[in-house]
Amino acid sequence: MEVIKWQKETFSALRRQGIDLVCHVPDAGHAKVIEMCEADNEVDCITCTSEEEGIHMLSGAWLGGRRGAMLLQSSGVGNIINALAMPNTCRIPILIIVTMRGEYGEFNPWQVPMGQGTPACLEAMGMRLYRAEEPTQVAPAVENMARLAFDSQQLCAILLSQKLLGAKDFRELAK
Amino acid sequence: MIRSEVTKSIIPVITDELVVCNIGLPSQELFMHDDQPSNFYMLGTMGLCSSIGLGLALNQNAPVLAIDGDGSILTNFGTLATIANNPADNFTLLIIDNGSYGSTGDQPTYAGKKTSLSKVAKACGCANVIECQGEEAAEEVGKALKGNQMTIIVCKCESGNVPVPNILTHPVSIRDRFMTEVEARN
């Protein structure tokens, strides 16, 4: 599958914001951005065994002076709730980009509860959310939520809606 | 030897290293024995002390010691695979393995029964894994901190707790003074 424009723009926006560390749990919706990160020698790309690890590796990295971001799927949001307590309490900036499941056009009912619960779970832990529905919203969202995170020391999440990602693409990617 | 005594015993070999310490009594014991601005007391989320330590070690140059526990490692077993596959030679992980969940009343962990954390660490691909007794902890930690090779130390000791003070330092102050120490070393 070819890289589409908003994915290229997401990668460029991350780099413009000085983000050179990307933690992820592999996800079809993020696959192209992960590939671009891995292809860039200046970006460290770390596969995490669970999403909560990524939140605390990013926290440790920031204590060491480095800016990172976490790429995950909405089903993985359930794994980071308690992990967010630490950066929340210590005012350590966190930036996550979440590909949404369980909404617009979803074919798998098992994905629905966590997908629908994602915004409330993140907000309950003090995260600031921005939801992107259109491709043109993604790059500005990455730039501005990165500023909010790192300049104002906030926990920030960009939710990439399933309408934006295209529910049908998941079936293609899964082949 | 119990955990508090192991912690006290390693203080002389921690010179200039950055220390990330596990949730609950371990942090309170370190605070009681040797409060330093270069200590990051991770008081909030069980299982993720080693992840903070690895993230810190991979992204700056100073040596990092993460003091973790068997219960916490069992909570986040995946950390050993992530550590093995993203090695940082300035990183030492000390797992004080007293075979119990000390902060909640010394209920037994599986590490005190059939599960060997050192064997799990090796099976995950960690290259340099040492298992020792509490009395040997200071020597092993001292060697690891000077060794410039990522080391996992599983230190077996008895379960048991001592009275400790609460850490009243504000969390933002803990991380702010810690970051000042990190900057001074880089």
Side-chain angles (χ1 to χ4, degrees):
Chain A
M1 217 186 135
E2 71 180 274
V3 181
I4 45 186
K5 194 177 169 199
W6 69 260
Q7 292 169 323
K8 282 183 194 161
E9 290 172 349
T10 296
F11 175 74
S12 303
L14 288 170
R15 300 294 287 118
R16 274 198 301 279
Q17 286 300 312
I19 291 164
D20 56 5
L21 170 67
V22 170
C23 291
H24 65 89
V25 172
D27 166 60
H30 284 307
K32 293 298 170 189
V33 176
I34 293 169
E35 277 176 27
M36 282 183 273
C37 291
E38 284 173 340
D40 186 330
N41 290 335
E42 291 179 8
V43 177
D44 284 330
C45 208
I46 296 181
T47 306
C48 297
T49 62
S50 111
E51 292 80 356
E52 61 174 355
E53 257 186 15
I55 296 299
H56 278 216
M57 286 188 68
L58 292 178
S59 299
W62 189 77
L63 292 172
R66 198 156 181 204
R67 288 182 172 202
M70 171 95 204
L71 309 181
L72 68 160
Q73 189 180 121
S74 54
S75 52
V77 166
N79 297 339
I80 67 169
I81 302 303
N82 191 39
L84 292 171
M86 195 282 283
N88 182 324
T89 309
C90 294
R91 286 203 69 180
I92 291 175
I94 292 290
L95 179 66
I96 66 173
I97 306 179
V98 182
T99 49
M100 294 301 295
R101 296 289 307 267
E103 48 178 45
Y104 196 86
E106 177 62 60
F107 65 90
N108 180 355
W110 302 76
Q111 288 283 351
V112 175
M114 192 64 241
Q116 291 293 327
T118 282
C121 287
L122 292 175
E123 282 178 337
M125 293 309 292
M127 273 212 139
R128 319 300 178 191
L129 307 188
Y130 180 87
R131 182 179 169 88
E133 296 277 359
E134 303 294 335
T136 53
Q137 294 174 313
V138 181
V142 172
E143 296 241 14
N144 287 290
M145 293 305 272
R147 286 198 189 108
L148 179 61
F150 295 107
D151 296 348
S152 297
Q153 298 175 354
Q154 300 290 313
L155 312 180
C156 291
I158 299 154
L159 308 183
L160 303 180
S161 78
Q162 207 159 353
K163 183 183 174 196
L164 163 74
L165 296 165
K168 285 179 184 172
D169 287 351
F170 283 100
R171 287 180 173 177
E172 291 299 316
L173 285 161
K175 280 179 184 172
Chain B
M1 216 169 176
I2 62 171
R3 183 194 55 241
S4 172
E5 293 166 326
V6 172
T7 304
K8 194 175 181 182
S9 77
I10 65 171
I11 286 165
V13 300
I14 302 171
T15 51
D16 202 35
E17 290 80 11
L18 301 165
V19 180
V20 180
C21 194
N22 190 26
I23 187 171
L25 294 176
S27 274
Q28 291 169 267
E29 289 164 358
L30 180 64
F31 175 81
M32 176 175 74
H33 292 309
D34 187 37
D35 181 35
Q36 295 286 339
S38 52
N39 294 347
F40 186 77
Y41 306 110
M42 202 288 284
L43 291 161
T45 306
M46 186 168 174
L48 294 168
C49 169
S50 59
S51 304
I52 299 172
L54 179 65
L56 177 64
L58 284 170
N59 292 295
Q60 53 81 55
N61 297 318
V64 175
L65 171 67
I67 303 175
D68 216 330
D70 51 312
S72 288
I73 290 290
L74 286 163
T75 301
N76 178 21
F77 246 162
T79 191
L80 294 171
T82 303
I83 289 168
N85 287 280
N86 298 277
D89 284 333
N90 58 342
F91 185 48
T92 301
L93 172 61
L94 169 65
I95 304 167
I96 302 181
D97 178 359
N98 62 0
S100 67
Y101 293 103
S103 297
T104 57
D106 281 338
Q107 297 88 347
T109 68
Y110 291 138
K113 295 184 173 180
K114 293 182 180 176
T115 305
S116 162
L117 296 182
S118 59
K119 285 182 183 170
V120 174
K122 284 177 192 165
C124 283
C126 295
N128 196 23
V129 181
I130 290 158
E131 184 168 312
C132 71
Q133 297 300 313
E135 292 74 11
E136 303 160 321
E139 185 188 346
E140 294 298 343
V141 170
K143 276 196 284 187
L145 292 175
K146 290 190 180 73
N148 196 32
Q149 182 187 12
M150 187 173 78
T151 306
I152 317 293
I153 301 168
V154 179
C155 171
K156 306 291 280 186
C157 67
E158 304 294 317
S159 63
N161 301 310
V162 294
V164 287
N166 283 332
I167 300 174
L168 300 175
T169 316
H170 194 285
V172 176
S173 297
I174 290 172
R175 75 94 165 130
D176 192 54
R177 67 180 199 167
F178 184 79
M179 289 185 75
T180 303
E181 294 292 316
V182 176
E183 282 171 27
R185 286 162 174 74
N186 284 276

